[in-house]
Amino acid sequence: MADPDLYKPLADRSKPKYYVLEMLPYPSGALHVGHLRNYSIGDALARYKWMRGFNVLHPMGWDAFGLPAENAAIKNNRQPREWTLANIEAMKRQHNRMGFSYDWDLEVSTCEPEYYKWNQWFFLRMLEAGIAYRRKALVNWCPECATVLANEQVVDGCCWRHETTPVEQRELEQWFLRITKYADELLDDTGKLEGGWPDRVLAMQRNWIGRSEGAEVDFKHESSSEKIRVFTTRIDTIYGATCVILAPTHPLAPFLSSPELKRDIKAMIDTQGANKDQGEIEKEGLFTGHYAINPFNGDKLPIWIGNFVLMGYGTGAIMAVPAHDERDFEFCRKYDIAVRPVIRPVDGELGDAATMTEPFTGYGILENSGEYSKLSTSDGQRRMTAKAKREGFGEKAITYRLKDWGISRQRYWGTPIPVIHCAKCGIVAVPDDQLPVILPTNIEITGKGRSPLENVPEFLNTTCPTCGGPARRETDTMDTFVDSSWYFYRYCDAHNSQAPFDSNKIAYWFPIDQYIGGVEHAILHLIYSRFWTKMMRDIGIISNDEPVKRLFTQGMVIKDGAKMSKNKGNVVSADEMIDRFGADTGRVFELFAAPPERDLEWTDAGAEGCLRFLGRVFRFITRNLDVESGAETTGADRKIQRKLHQTLRKVTDDFETRWHFNTSIAAMMELVNEAYALEPELSSQVRRDLLEKLTLMLAPFAPYMTQELWENMGNSGPVFRQQWPEYDEELAREEGAEVILQVNGKLRSKVIVPFGTEREELERLTKADDKIQAHLQDKQIVKIIVVPDKLVNVVVKG
RNA sequence: GCGGAUGUGGCGAAACUGGCAGACGCGCCAGACUUAGGAUCUGGUGGGGGCGACUCCGUGUAGGUUCAAGUCCUAUCAUCCGCACCA
């Protein structure tokens, strides 16, 4: 037994070299090959653990991403899948059929009450720390289903189920986690992840956090004490401001609006919500009839409401500087608002307001800017910000694109948020000793109305833990991304009933050495879990800053030019493939067709080639099992041993470094081709050694077939529990170095020489070579470059 | 618009630190065995020229560095992905 640790409790194991975790897809229906691909890589690694001390914890992470399953269930008007032991067993059987070898012992199901309990425990800690909070937020609302919609469920401004019903914006009380508190740290620490994480994932995260530096400035309302605070990255352009524009949902909008205007604003809010994520839309504005004062020059600026101003970014209000901003320019030209240029290029002219056709958005020299005129834009920014601060009408400010994480879901499926609403005491946390709050089972999924939990009086009605009076339970459940944010920590101590985990165990295991998953998790899951790690560190139960040192993102399986999906109907189901080719062939093809980080176009023909290869291996081994032949070591023996050990070295190296299993399989194909060529000449001993090592080497890629071969060789027990075969450098070594001979960098000849042949000897051999001499005719040798054991290049002239 | 990546045969790809471009496989062509071949085995297969030994061209495009560039540098084009009225 190569890995006696495997079945010990986690805490009793010796520390492995790596701790590999894999993100799993969600069980939205039948398994697709896209999913199989996920498994194949992790699974090949799983098999590798007995080779090099890899330890792959294979999470039972299904329900961490249960949302689509639930949507499907609601859509079909039936109950979500029950997470019973029987269902989990069925899933294991399905996977065993596909040849996945998981560490089922370590499974943690994030829908178990025990896991709810710790989700809720974390929630309460965050509530105490002010990280969890509740506020009103705008949500997409379908009046037809009377339910909240996720952004993805809004199609062309209408509900995905009612294509003619426009989605409305409604304000609901929602629970949030203050991830923005960690925005700077999340951004800065991407630097620590460089090298270990793919660049594109880090870029996506930085982009998502979207830090931008600028200033906030107050524009006073002309006739009241109200102030409109705007955010700008270009305070230097403030003398060019010609109006102030508010988001339609800005808190001051109602104050500035007549009843008719309020109606128009409401309509604008709804279209704005409906067109969210639609890219650029036609700019619309509504003039309020009110004015605000520019604090720098006392200008009276009209206050508008604009559909392109977002409440969720900055302060929800902007100063429009049409002469120096494309968007403001477009808006002001449309509504005939003044354009006032105040910046010129360093060696250029100030634009002319009447004739300019596009704004100047670059940096340069300030003009028409009072005491700041003739300053550079950067000096202007600095001095204006300082003045705003000094005089109390503004300050330096940083805003983020990242918003606080709204975790409220009006759904049945999920961890109940552990708070109680009491008429007298307000929002009261459920005491720790009453956790977990468990979902009732007698629910009815109607697909209508809000959370089905509101229709279950036994769940809804409770007593206030503070005053003992009658109270209502919170019916929102948590986003399932909460589950996936820390499940891997729980794996280290899955049965702990006193705490989410023992901190010492986390200190021992974490951070994760290697995490594997699809790039679709680059933003949400991978930011949330980084946030959760920092949060846990701050409440003092772990000490690592980051959850994952190295991240590997594998590609997708593409069929007919598109990502496989049930909607497109371009799915190759795993079952179908198993019936046609077998699980081994499917696995080998996926690994062979492209390196794992790349997308892969599915072709049946390619799979057939791999079936052929496996057939060649099977026939070769089978017909050679009982062959007896001469015992002396022949030239063929030496050749095949060299190839065998070179192949072993290659495959072992691919596992340890690049995971380019396509080249591993190519190398094994070469070995088999050579074995076919030399087959009749091999001695019994070498033949036997070849059969055995080839079987072991292929086992991670084709587990079923190699298991059978392994048993046919007279062995027993699982092949994947055998020691990984070691390669022998001596046997792998070539007999001599093949040296390339070039003239002016062009290949002209080759020679084979003993390793370590001296430069002088190589030069002599080169000059003596017939083919080289032919190219040296009438030429003058300028110099000779010699790279020992590799290459000689003769540089000539004339 | 911003950000990230990728461009190599008919196709999937390989070439890991600059050093034989196209490994391996698919497809195609030919042969063997066959009543048959959609099984199997063997050989060939980047393009042009030559009976041939050989030879010239060739890694999106244009330059550059180097004895030597798919690989490094500069510019440019195309495709894919992510974000996007972000103030």
Side-chain angles (χ1 to χ4, degrees), chain A residues 735-737 739 752-758 761-762 765 789:
Chain A
E735 275 175 346
V739 174
I752 294 185
V753 298
F755 284 104
T757 301
E758 299 290 327
E761 174 66 4
L762 283 172
L765 280 170
D789 293 345

Side-chain angles (χ1 to χ4, degrees), chain A residues 346-422:
Chain A
V346 174
D347 48 6
E349 298 287 307
L350 195 63
D352 178 64
T355 60
M356 69 194 293
T357 52
E358 58 178 26
F360 171 66
T361 57
Y363 295 90
I365 305 297
L366 273 61
E367 299 287 355
N368 301 330
S369 295
E371 59 192 284
Y372 304 98
S373 296
K374 311 297 179 198
L375 288 178
S376 72
T377 40
S378 53
D379 282 346
Q381 280 180 3
R382 225 178 349 264
R383 288 163 74 158
M384 288 174 174
T385 309
K387 170 168 170 147
K389 171 91 178 161
R390 200 165 54 241
E391 305 197 356
F393 61 80
E395 62 199 320
K396 192 174 167 203
I398 297 165
T399 54
Y400 301 91
R401 211 188 75 89
L402 181 72
K403 291 177 200 124
D404 279 341
W405 176 14
I407 59 160
S408 279
R409 295 290 178 274
Q410 293 74 40
R411 298 176 187 280
Y412 168 66
W413 197 247
T415 308
I417 291 176
V419 300
I420 289 168
H421 299 275
C422 172

